[in-house]
Amino acid sequence: MQNEPNILDPLAVAETWHGQGRSVALATVIETWGSAPRPVGSHLVIDGEGNFQGSVSGGCVEGAVIAEAADVIASGRPRVLEFGVADETAWRVGLSCGGRIRVYVERIDG
Amino acid sequence: MELGTLQILNEARASRRAAVVVSDLADGSSQAFVEGERIPPEWAEPVSEALHSGRPRLVDIGERPLFFNVHLPPPRIVAIGAVHISQALARLAPVAGFDMVVVDPRTAFATAERFHGVELLADWPEDVLPERPLDRYTALAALTHDPKIDDYPLRAALEARCFYVGALGSRKTHASRVERLRTQGVAGEAIARIKAPIGLDIGAASPAEIAVAVLAEIIMSLRRRDVDLPAEGAR
């Protein structure tokens, strides 16, 4: 167990946070269309207090993912989120680059 | 994701081994497979495909939506020479996601005080590299100007097909280096892969600026490298 994880490495942060007794959710980009800012496989880690490290976009949709992560942490049920300009919520959260992404959010259990 | 999966994955990443994590999007279960370890036959094909392509992907297997995430070893920079440029590079490299190792037999240069947070080996490259082999995920920067220290690791890096091989020194210094390597039997095609003068031409003047130029050139070589199988980010 690392006491001071590299804050640029979300997976190391996830393990450290869990070891500190914090609730942790992991968000992963699982699909992209068009010009998505972060490639498939990119991670964002969120704790129960809304602290986060990493990214799934260039900062466009992180806020919405963090809000959903709170539900995933509470219920333990993973979910898949989709974001893009075609989405009716585009005025609120969307990708200004015109791309579309799907993000899988799951809780770290153990 | 189960904590056990995350731990296996982080352990593999820390020891520079490739790993694949398979997540079942429907029930949230996951498992990690590490390159070189036994993979159950039912997973062998998709996991090996993922390891070879280096590309994460979403697949339905038996109506289960599965996400295969691939974690290849992070690229590493081996700097020959515990010099001023290496000190700056040692601070920049981790930010850009590179592991870094500094090798220099001159113990006056290779001191822990001068290098925080990176691995420092105060030994001859001839002694270090056989134990810590260079690979395709490694960039080698020879920064001492001293043929006694630089020449061997340059040859080893060309042989190991490191994605980047750079050598510090003026055009004149490099011309005599080319001559020496030729006499030592290194092929002209291999010698041509050495980046010299080292670093992108951004007019860098100070050691820190040269370190930025070298790091930028390393990133360019990584993203534009020739790969037999396309990896993420390759063009």
Side-chain angles (χ1 to χ4, degrees):
Chain A
M1 172 61 59
Q2 300 162 280
N3 291 324
E4 285 180 44
N6 178 353
I7 56 163
L8 297 178
D9 181 347
L11 294 173
V13 169
E15 193 178 336
T16 302
W17 282 0
H18 188 281
Q20 293 167 347
R22 295 150 86 166
S23 318
V24 182
L26 183 67
T28 308
V29 178
I30 56 169
E31 231 175 338
T32 66
W33 298 266
S35 59
R38 297 281 288 127
V40 172
S42 303
H43 291 298
L44 169 70
V45 59
I46 308 106
D47 78 357
E49 309 286 305
N51 297 301
F52 67 96
Q53 294 290 355
S55 64
V56 290
S57 74
C60 323
V61 305
E62 271 75 4
V65 175
I66 291 160
E68 295 280 345
D71 291 345
V72 170
I73 285 174
S75 71
R77 273 195 300 280
R79 61 178 71 167
V80 175
L81 313 173
E82 191 168 329
F83 301 98
V85 286
D87 199 277
E88 69 272 18
T89 60
W91 60 273
R92 196 158 43 89
V93 284
L95 297 169
S96 49
C97 48
R100 212 146 54 90
I101 61 171
R102 283 218 293 159
V103 178
Y104 176 62
V105 188
E106 62 189 318
R107 188 171 72 184
I108 303 295
D109 287 318
Chain B
M1 182 187 290
E2 296 80 358
L3 178 64
T5 306
L6 180 63
Q7 287 168 332
I8 294 170
L9 173 61
N10 280 344
E11 220 177 283
R13 293 165 67 237
S15 58
R16 292 184 64 78
R17 295 171 74 187
V20 174
V21 171
V22 184
S23 304
D24 185 323
L25 304 191
D27 68 9
S29 65
S30 63
Q31 38 193 330
F33 301 102
V34 178
E35 187 174 31
E37 283 177 11
R38 195 187 157 273
I39 294 166
E42 67 270 29
W43 290 106
E45 198 193 314
V47 167
S48 127
E49 196 279 331
L51 284 171
H52 280 109
S53 74
R55 276 201 185 125
R57 66 187 184 121
L58 201 55
V59 243
D60 284 339
I61 297 182
E63 296 189 6
R64 279 196 298 164
L66 301 176
F67 180 64
F68 286 72
N69 206 355
V70 191
H71 302 264
L72 298 179
R76 171 174 57 184
I77 299 172
V78 174
I80 305 299
V83 296
H84 201 169
I85 296 171
S86 311
Q87 287 180 282
L89 192 56
R91 304 179 74 162
L92 297 168
V95 175
F98 292 88
D99 291 341
M100 185 160 159
V101 183
V102 179
V103 183
D104 196 324
R106 302 167 299 179
T107 47
F109 286 81
T111 68
E113 195 189 28
R114 288 159 53 79
F115 291 88
H116 284 296
V118 298
E119 200 177 351
L120 180 64
L121 303 167
D123 237 321
W124 286 91
E126 284 87 331
D127 297 324
V128 169
L129 296 183
E131 311 244 308
R132 307 281 306 269
L134 302 168
D135 58 32
R136 283 168 179 261
Y137 290 102
T138 303
L140 183 118
L143 301 171
T144 72
H145 292 111
D146 184 342
K148 285 196 305 300
I149 305 175
D150 280 352
D151 281 7
Y152 171 83
L154 283 171
R155 290 203 315 270
L158 293 171
E159 210 165 293
R161 304 292 300 185
C162 288
F163 73 85
Y164 174 88
V165 185
L168 185 71
S170 64
R171 282 190 172 77
K172 198 168 147 226
T173 308
H174 188 59
S176 35
R177 179 185 293 130
V178 168
E179 265 322 294
R180 283 195 312 276
L181 292 175
R182 213 167 258 150
T183 342
Q184 292 163 12
V186 183
E189 173 268 336
I191 293 174
R193 286 177 36 229
I194 300 176
K195 302 272 198 249
I198 201 167
L200 289 190
D201 185 5
I202 56 170
S206 70
E209 289 171 8
I210 295 168
V212 171
V214 171
L215 185 58
E217 191 172 52
I218 289 173
I219 292 170
M220 189 176 78
S221 303
L222 175 69
R223 293 306 175 193
R224 295 186 179 162
R225 73 192 187 281
D226 288 327
V227 280
D228 304 327
L229 291 153
E232 182 198 308
R235 269 171 266 178

